[in-house]
Amino acid sequence: MKFNSAELSSFAQSTSFYFEKEGVLKTRKSTTKWRRHQELIERWCRLKGNLLFLMKNRSCTSGPAEVIVLERCSILEYGDSKWPALTITFQSGEPGIYLEAASKSDCEDWIAALQEANSEGLQRRIAYLQQLIMEIKDNASPDEVHQILPLPEIQSPLIDISKFLFEPKLEFSLACKELVTAPRDRKPNAFVQITVINPTHQSLTRYSNTETVERSFLGSATFAIRDLLNSEEQTLTINLSPLDGSSIVGTIVVSNLKMGENENEEVDQTPSEATSEKSPLHGSVLHRAINDAGKFSLLDSVFKNIIWKVYRLPTANGRWLCVREQMAESTLSFHIPKQLIELFIQEDTRRLQDLEELGELSSHWDTLRKNVTLHYQQMINSYQEVLAELNKFSGSSFKASCSRREKKLEFVPVNLHLQRMQIQNNSAKTDGVYDVVTIGAPAAHIRGFRNGGLRRQLYRFEGEKRNSAYQYIYYSPEDTSKAKEVITNIYKLHPRILSNTDLLLAAARHHSSDSLKDSLKTLSEITEQFVHTFEDQLVRSALLALHKARPSYVNKKCSTLVNNLEGTEDQSENSERRSSKDSIPHHAEYDEEDWDRVWVNVGKSLNCIIAMVDRLLEQNDCRPECESNSSPADQSPSSACDDWYEGLYPLAVTLKDCVNEVINRAKKAMVFVLLQDCGSNIPQALALHQRRDIVFSQALAGLVCGFVIKLHTCLHDPGFLLQLHTVGLLVQFEGLLSTYSEEIGMLEDMSVAITDLQKVSFKVVEAHLEESANADLSPLVTGIRDFYTVEVQLPSKLFEVLPQVIKDGKLLRVHPVFFNIGINEQQTLAERFGDISLQEIINQENLKLLHKYYKSFQEKLSTDCLPRLQTQIDLKELFQSLSENIQARKRKNVEILKITASICRRLNGIRFTSCKSAKDRTSMSVTLEQCVILQEEHSLHPDYFVRALDCMRSSYAKESLNDTDDPETDCDNRPTSSHFYPVALLLVSSHLLVVWLILSLALLLAKYQ
């Protein structure tokens, strides 16, 4: 136990403090039985709170000899009737204490005082006060509150304020004055708790409290809101009294605050003067844990458990800012991963069916297919188990950092929250809303980082594939991606071709010229896109490779080899010369032109349909002239409709047959290409497959959360909506991970996850809420691994605000970029003794992506659609400064993060901040960014920058981090940095440095073994 001996000594000898009980007692310690003949020492004893001071002798000024903490102990009367005494016995097994009083009554008083001195006695007293307050009526006098009655043991019927939905109607401040002076005239560190009494419901509501808890109870005070509002100066001064009402221990000043009351002040008044005259609490905080039914009413399906604070801060011109800081949990933490896992299961099940539909293969390829099928089935079973566990999960809507390594929660992001700062400044009209989504680094924690993260493992796996190309057909990563893209387009375009063909026939049946033209136009665009999908040479080579894998080809190849042995030497040379021209030898019976004929037939069938439609429309235009020359008896409207339908039906059937034939061949060929991707190492390939799914699921949940809040915030901004459907949305991830130990693996996982977000598009759809006003508006994810679409639902009134191109269903793209700067002590070790090249490469790669997005923006849009900020900094200057800072390779260059955040805000982007667990480093970064915004964009007074920062950080972090105490680290998994010794000592000698390296290596090996 840590304590300040000088402070305790001064406190024990003080005469200005009120002690609950003091007097002379005879005391002694014993480890066996109490014996009268043992020496007894007369001491002056003083009780304050749960501390019992035993002085050196009978004098109260003799100084304390011992201090007893009266917790987890029993105070009982000693059984001997000769001497009135009591015993203090501790549950920890420490030696007990024998105290002997002068009389029986004195002993009983000491027993009663000591029994009420610990926390259990305090709880009983609080329970009694709660019982007493609930019995107070509207017209009860304040004096009745302090009546002293026996303390019954009751359960506290407190009601959580989260059950009440309301907007704030009143803002008032509390100030403690003239509190009882502590030793050395030090002001007491008071703990203030506010409790609201509702006489109608006869209940208490725990409203708010300060953060630092004092050991002893000082006093309480009660006031009515109506008294505050009816007072002339909107101020009440009430006495603070202890429970027994013996004396006044201070005063409480309650002041009603009205936002805007200082707007008419003179500008030349200094903030300090304004603070002293107008605001008794500068930078005051109102903390609540309520469901805000105001701005977040439309986001109930995405956010919940909103906690917010309100600050009043001065500006440089003497005005005031009202800053509302909010933090909300996102229900998407579990909603999006569950949808994704279902899609993974469906896609992998379909992949198994595609493998079976490959038909007969030679023994070599058939063995590979069986092994892949077995591992895919195991992966599907694993996903089904995780999904079942997630469906059972109930409780908090976010995954805490202590659950990082739970198997059932590996797809769920860590600590996904929305951090919003809303600023109101009526005088300057500089209102603003700034959002940052905080999320733990998307990483597969449960799978470990012994072999690095995804980025490193994918690189190694690609090398193994090249080395094993003699056993399997090697396809480059570009070919594999192309094969996935072809399969994606097949699943995406095939249903659309069939549905639009049916619409074309329906328009012909109803003899509707306009519908026929529209259906034909849509069908032509989709079919042309479908045809262009198969132009790549990969499809032809894959068809030939699949043909070679057939058993018939292998048998004929063997017979050809036998015939070649009987042939001439010239034929052998010609065969070798022919095989050297192509990586895959041609077979005499394989007709490469057959694929071209099937593929081209799709376009020809479409051309036939176009020609037929043109002819039918032309005949329809000529029909009025013919009808005017013919008799009414010869006119037959039904025959014209039948002619249209009968003319188009055979051509539509032919088009569908040609499309199905192309899909049948191309899909088998692409499935065969993807089969080779697992050929070198099936377990490792599918393990990487799962790891990539896990980190992508975490990243996508955060992305959807950010997109929804950005859409709702800027829904009435025409410039943002134009930018959204023209060039897409910029998504900027800020990483604070170090490039050392396990965090370098997390960084590798996170970089791949953010890159994979490029495969995601958004679509805004109208939500139909006629039947139920409480319908679920949660986003819906569809697609397969290389093409996901997230449908965001909006109520009809909001959907009408959108541009027509978005309402028509245009897919909205996102452009993710990721910049990382390690800032903790592990990064210091990495910069001095390790390697930070990964961080530099990631920052350089994403700088190119950011430049590419800005270039696209400049080509298609003007700067008029960008937000108007107070600091007019040219984006070109910011990009130049960012490029210079990245090239400078400065240690812990946090200027990179500041510039990228500024660029993101100026380009209407979404901001994300991540560290290992999205707690300490993330909160420090977010609060610093918020204060910088207040200073740069809203003229926060420079003298109050640090105070505002401390006020915002007061609930986030109590103290700075050190090498051996990382709040982001689980107790059972300390980082390796805790094993390192002070660097300054080790740099004294190179021999010590070698010893340090050897010891660190030994500890690392012991940890992983």
Side-chain angles (χ1 to χ4, degrees):
M1 178 177 178
K2 296 182 179 179
F3 61 92
N4 190 320
S5 58
E7 183 106 357
L8 285 177
S9 177
S10 176
F11 182 84
Q13 300 177 67
S14 174
T15 58
S16 59
F17 268 103
Y18 170 77
F19 288 87
E20 285 84 356
K21 180 72 175 175
E22 55 183 324
V24 177
L25 292 175
K26 297 180 181 179
T27 178
R28 67 169 173 236
K29 286 187 178 181
S30 175
T31 57
T32 56
K33 296 181 180 180
W34 306 112
R35 297 179 180 175
R36 176 65 184 172
H37 65 271
Q38 292 181 350
E39 61 180 67
L40 289 174
I41 303 176
E42 289 188 340
R43 300 182 186 273
W44 186 266
C45 300
R46 312 185 81 175
L47 176 63
K48 181 63 176 178
N50 61 349
L51 298 179
L52 177 63
F53 296 93
L54 305 181
M55 312 303 280
K56 295 180 179 178
N57 50 42
R58 292 176 55 91
S59 174
C60 61
T61 60
S62 59
E66 296 182 60
V67 180
I68 302 171
V69 181
L70 300 173
E71 297 293 342
R72 301 186 64 185
C73 61
S74 301
I75 292 92
L76 301 174
E77 184 178 2
Y78 186 58
D80 197 335
S81 60
K82 292 184 179 180
W83 302 282
L86 60 97
T87 61
I88 303 177
T89 307
F90 297 95
Q91 297 179 10
S92 60
E94 296 179 3
I97 297 177
Y98 174 88
L99 299 173
E100 186 176 304
S103 63
K104 183 73 172 179
S105 60
D106 189 26
C107 180
E108 293 175 353
D109 292 342
W110 273 107
I111 293 175
L114 293 176
Q115 288 178 345
E116 295 299 327
N118 54 19
S119 58
E120 295 178 357
L122 183 60
Q123 290 175 358
R124 290 195 299 270
R125 191 174 303 158
I126 293 174
Y128 157 70
L129 290 176
Q130 293 166 354
Q131 172 89 13
L132 188 62
I133 293 176
M134 290 182 63
E135 298 174 355
I136 299 175
K137 304 298 182 180
D138 284 338
N139 55 357
S141 62
D143 295 336
E144 297 178 6
V145 179
H146 302 290
Q147 293 178 357
I148 304 300
L149 298 176
L151 304 181
E153 295 186 4
I154 62 172
Q155 296 295 327
S156 172
L158 286 181
I159 299 176
D160 190 0
I161 198 167
S162 62
K163 297 181 180 180
F164 297 96
L165 303 178
F166 60 85
E167 279 289 335
K169 305 299 182 183
L170 176 69
E171 181 182 357
F172 64 88
S173 66
L174 295 176
C176 300
K177 292 185 176 181
E178 301 175 0
L179 298 180
V180 175
T181 307
R184 302 181 182 177
D185 295 331
R186 177 184 173 185
K187 294 182 179 180
N189 192 4
F191 167 76
V192 180
Q193 177 174 316
I194 302 174
T195 304
V196 179
I197 308 170
N198 190 334
T200 305
H201 298 87
Q202 293 293 306
S203 61
L204 286 176
T205 302
R206 183 179 291 117
Y207 187 80
S208 180
N209 59 265
T210 55
E211 295 175 349
T212 306
V213 180
E214 186 72 11
R215 289 182 179 273
S216 58
F217 176 77
L218 191 60
S220 64
T222 307
F223 70 95
I225 296 295
R226 64 172 177 267
D227 296 336
L228 175 63
L229 299 178
N230 293 334
S231 62
E232 295 182 0
E233 298 181 356
Q234 300 285 287
T235 302
L236 291 178
T237 301
I238 52 181
N239 294 329
L240 186 66
S241 303
L243 290 179
D244 56 5
S246 58
S247 61
I248 298 175
V249 294
T251 57
I252 302 294
V253 179
V254 186
S255 302
N256 184 18
L257 300 179
K258 294 181 180 180
M259 294 311 302
E261 65 181 357
N262 295 323
E263 298 298 333
N264 297 325
E265 292 180 9
E266 295 296 332
V267 178
D268 57 356
Q269 186 178 17
T270 63
S272 60
E273 294 173 353
T275 303
S276 60
E277 295 179 7
K278 295 289 183 180
S279 179
L281 261 183
H282 184 74
S284 60
V285 178
L286 300 179
H287 180 278
R288 305 175 189 190
I290 69 171
N291 291 321
D292 188 350
K295 299 294 182 181
F296 283 82
S297 59
L298 297 174
L299 302 177
D300 290 340
S301 59
V302 180
F303 299 102
K304 70 175 187 178
N305 295 336
I306 301 168
I307 299 175
W308 49 278
K309 292 183 177 181
V310 178
Y311 308 92
R312 180 194 294 264
L313 301 170
T315 61
N317 57 6
R319 305 292 183 177
W320 294 93
L321 290 174
C322 178
V323 181
R324 173 169 169 162
E325 187 184 20
Q326 299 165 319
M327 183 178 72
E329 300 174 9
S330 176
T331 58
L332 301 180
S333 296
F334 287 82
H335 183 74
I336 296 299
K338 287 193 288 187
Q339 291 189 65
L340 271 181
I341 295 174
E342 290 179 354
L343 293 176
F344 293 155
I345 294 173
Q346 295 174 8
E347 182 181 351
D348 293 339
T349 303
R350 190 164 53 242
R351 180 68 57 83
L352 293 180
Q353 296 175 355
D354 293 341
L355 289 174
E356 291 298 325
E357 292 173 359
L358 283 178
E360 294 185 3
L361 298 176
S362 62
S363 59
H364 173 73
W365 299 112
D366 190 54
T367 302
L368 174 62
R369 176 171 60 179
K370 290 180 179 178
N371 292 334
V372 172
T373 300
L374 178 62
H375 283 81
Y376 262 109
Q377 190 60 55
Q378 294 175 355
M379 189 166 64
I380 292 173
N381 295 336
S382 174
Y383 283 3
Q384 289 174 342
E385 293 176 359
V386 173
L387 181 60
E389 291 294 332
L390 288 180
N391 290 329
K392 297 177 184 177
F393 185 84
S394 61
S396 178
S397 59
F398 74 98
K399 172 183 172 182
S401 58
C402 59
S403 303
R404 285 196 305 266
R405 298 184 180 275
E406 287 190 24
K407 173 69 176 178
K408 63 181 180 180
L409 300 179
E410 60 182 347
F411 287 86
V412 180
V414 177
N415 281 335
L416 176 59
H417 289 85
L418 169 68
Q419 303 278 351
R420 162 170 287 193
M421 182 176 67
Q422 188 173 359
I423 302 170
Q424 180 181 0
N425 187 356
N426 295 330
S427 61
K429 296 182 180 179
T430 57
D431 297 356
V433 176
Y434 304 90
D435 294 325
V436 178
V437 179
T438 59
I439 180 175
H445 296 278
I446 194 173
R447 299 176 183 269
F449 305 97
R450 181 178 301 180
N451 298 320
L454 262 176
R455 190 182 180 106
R456 192 187 317 174
Q457 293 184 27
L458 289 172
Y459 179 79
R460 290 175 180 171
F461 180 70
E462 192 61 31
E464 293 180 3
K465 283 173 57 180
R466 292 192 185 96
N467 297 332
S468 61
Y470 64 92
Q471 295 179 345
Y472 306 97
I473 302 175
Y474 173 72
Y475 290 99
S476 65
E478 292 77 15
D479 292 337
T480 303
S481 300
K482 181 63 180 179
K484 294 179 180 179
E485 181 182 351
V486 171
I487 294 178
T488 301
N489 288 330
I490 288 175
Y491 288 120
K492 183 173 64 172
L493 299 177
H494 185 211
R496 298 178 63 188
I497 292 176
L498 297 181
S499 61
N500 281 277
T501 304
D502 294 337
L503 290 176
L504 182 71
L505 293 176
R509 186 184 296 275
H510 293 88
H511 204 270
S512 175
S513 300
D514 295 336
S515 298
L516 193 66
K517 292 178 182 179
D518 295 339
S519 300
L520 180 62
K521 180 181 178 181
T522 306
L523 180 63
S524 301
E525 294 175 354
I526 298 173
T527 307
E528 289 177 2
Q529 185 180 356
F530 178 82
V531 172
H532 290 320
T533 300
F534 305 102
E535 289 180 344
D536 197 276
Q537 183 64 29
L538 176 65
V539 181
R540 293 184 175 86
S541 63
L543 285 169
L544 178 58
L546 179 60
H547 176 74
K548 289 172 52 182
R550 301 296 184 190
S552 58
Y553 174 82
V554 176
N555 296 332
K556 291 182 179 180
K557 182 178 179 181
C558 294
S559 62
T560 303
L561 291 176
V562 173
N563 294 332
N564 286 342
L565 292 176
E566 299 175 355
T568 61
E569 186 175 329
D570 294 337
Q571 293 175 340
S572 177
E573 293 178 357
N574 292 334
S575 177
E576 292 177 2
R577 192 178 299 111
R578 184 173 64 251
S579 63
S580 63
K581 294 180 181 179
D582 301 307
S583 60
I584 303 175
H586 292 69
H587 188 258
E589 294 186 1
Y590 179 72
D591 187 4
E592 294 183 1
E593 296 180 358
D594 183 49
W595 162 251
D596 293 332
R597 286 192 296 269
V598 173
W599 171 55
V600 172
N601 283 341
V602 176
K604 291 181 178 179
S605 300
L606 177 63
N607 292 334
C608 292
I609 291 177
I610 295 174
M612 176 60 70
V613 171
D614 292 340
R615 190 176 69 179
L616 293 175
L617 293 176
E618 184 179 356
Q619 291 176 358
N620 186 61
D621 294 337
C622 297
R623 189 177 299 276
E625 299 178 1
C626 299
E627 290 177 354
S628 62
N629 298 328
S630 61
S631 61
D634 297 335
Q635 298 177 9
S636 177
S638 60
S639 63
C641 297
D642 294 339
D643 291 342
W644 280 27
Y645 182 78
E646 292 176 358
L648 287 175
Y649 180 75
L651 299 179
V653 172
T654 302
L655 175 63
K656 290 181 179 180
D657 292 341
C658 292
V659 169
N660 291 332
E661 181 65 22
V662 169
I663 289 176
N664 183 42
R665 297 192 183 192
K667 189 169 72 170
K668 289 181 179 179
M670 296 300 98
V671 171
F672 187 75
V673 171
L674 297 180
L675 181 64
Q676 315 304 315
D677 194 43
C678 304
S680 60
N681 191 333
I682 298 175
Q684 182 181 1
L686 297 185
L688 289 176
H689 202 63
Q690 285 183 288
R691 191 182 189 105
R692 200 162 189 169
D693 289 345
I694 291 170
V695 299
F696 177 76
S697 172
Q698 298 176 19
L700 181 61
L703 175 64
V704 177
C705 173
F707 183 89
V708 171
I709 189 63
K710 186 67 176 181
L711 179 64
H712 279 271
T713 303
C714 303
L715 195 59
H716 299 280
D717 184 356
F720 168 77
L721 296 176
L722 177 62
Q723 177 185 355
L724 182 61
H725 68 77
T726 304
V727 295
L729 183 63
L730 178 65
V731 180
Q732 189 249 325
F733 284 83
E734 174 186 298
L736 304 172
L737 295 170
S738 67
T739 55
Y740 188 82
S741 186
E742 289 187 347
E743 290 196 11
I744 194 171
M746 301 176 198
L747 182 60
E748 292 172 343
D749 279 358
M750 186 175 180
S751 64
V752 175
I754 294 174
T755 302
D756 288 345
L757 291 179
Q758 298 174 359
K759 303 178 293 186
V760 180
S761 299
F762 287 84
K763 181 179 179 181
V764 184
V765 298
E766 183 178 5
H768 302 284
L769 305 177
E770 289 80 4
E771 298 180 359
S772 174
N774 297 324
D776 187 12
L777 294 178
S778 300
L780 178 65
V781 184
T782 59
I784 60 176
R785 280 186 175 88
D786 289 279
F787 180 81
Y788 286 106
T789 301
V790 182
E791 295 183 357
V792 179
Q793 304 182 70
L794 283 182
S796 300
K797 292 183 179 180
L798 297 180
F799 188 76
E800 294 174 357
V801 180
L802 298 175
Q804 188 61 40
V805 63
I806 297 180
K807 290 194 286 187
D808 291 340
K810 181 176 181 180
L811 296 181
L812 311 174
R813 295 190 58 197
V814 293
H815 301 270
V817 294
F818 173 42
F819 294 90
N820 184 84
I821 296 294
I823 61 172
N824 63 351
E825 74 284 351
Q826 290 189 348
Q827 184 64 21
T828 304
L829 294 173
E831 290 173 346
R832 292 181 180 274
F833 309 109
D835 182 15
I836 61 173
S837 59
L838 175 63
Q839 176 177 281
E840 296 174 350
I841 293 172
I842 290 175
N843 291 340
Q844 291 170 0
E845 291 175 350
N846 286 271
L847 176 62
K848 296 178 181 178
L849 294 177
L850 189 58
H851 269 296
K852 182 179 178 182
Y853 176 82
Y854 181 57
K855 183 178 180 181
S856 175
F857 177 88
Q858 288 179 309
E859 294 173 352
K860 299 178 181 179
L861 296 172
S862 66
T863 57
D864 295 336
C865 63
L866 296 180
R868 301 295 179 185
L869 301 178
Q870 184 174 349
T871 54
Q872 299 296 330
I873 302 177
D874 188 14
L875 279 169
K876 293 182 180 180
E877 296 180 4
L878 289 176
F879 272 97
Q880 182 179 359
S881 177
L882 177 61
S883 179
E884 292 174 355
N885 277 276
I886 290 178
Q887 297 298 330
R889 297 184 177 181
K890 179 182 175 182
R891 292 180 179 178
K892 293 187 179 181
N893 191 359
V894 294
E895 190 70 18
I896 294 175
L897 302 180
K898 181 181 177 181
I899 297 173
T900 53
S902 181
I903 291 175
C904 180
R905 287 194 300 270
R906 281 165 170 74
L907 289 177
N908 265 327
I910 311 174
R911 289 267 298 117
F912 291 82
T913 300
S914 299
C915 63
K916 181 179 180 180
S917 302
K919 293 193 302 186
D920 298 276
R921 279 173 280 178
T922 298
S923 62
M924 300 289 277
S925 173
V926 170
T927 50
L928 177 61
E929 179 182 354
Q930 289 176 345
C931 288
V932 169
I933 292 174
L934 288 173
Q935 187 175 52
E936 294 181 352
E937 305 297 338
H938 300 275
S939 303
L940 174 67
H941 197 284
D943 294 342
Y944 291 93
F945 180 88
V946 176
R947 291 181 61 180
L949 186 63
D950 292 340
C951 189
M952 289 183 176
R953 287 178 173 176
S954 61
S955 60
Y956 290 112
K958 299 298 181 184
E959 56 186 5
S960 60
L961 304 180
N962 53 55
D963 293 348
T964 60
D965 185 17
D966 188 356
E968 295 185 1
T969 306
D970 298 335
C971 296
D972 57 345
N973 187 27
R974 288 284 181 182
T976 54
S977 62
S978 61
H979 300 304
F980 288 93
Y981 309 104
V983 177
L985 173 64
L986 297 172
L987 292 180
V988 175
S989 169
S990 59
H991 299 289
L992 288 176
L993 181 61
V994 172
V995 173
W996 170 64
L997 292 173
I998 294 175
L999 291 175
S1000 302
L1001 180 60
L1003 289 169
L1004 287 173
L1005 293 175
K1007 175 183 178 181
Y1008 288 120
Q1009 289 178 357

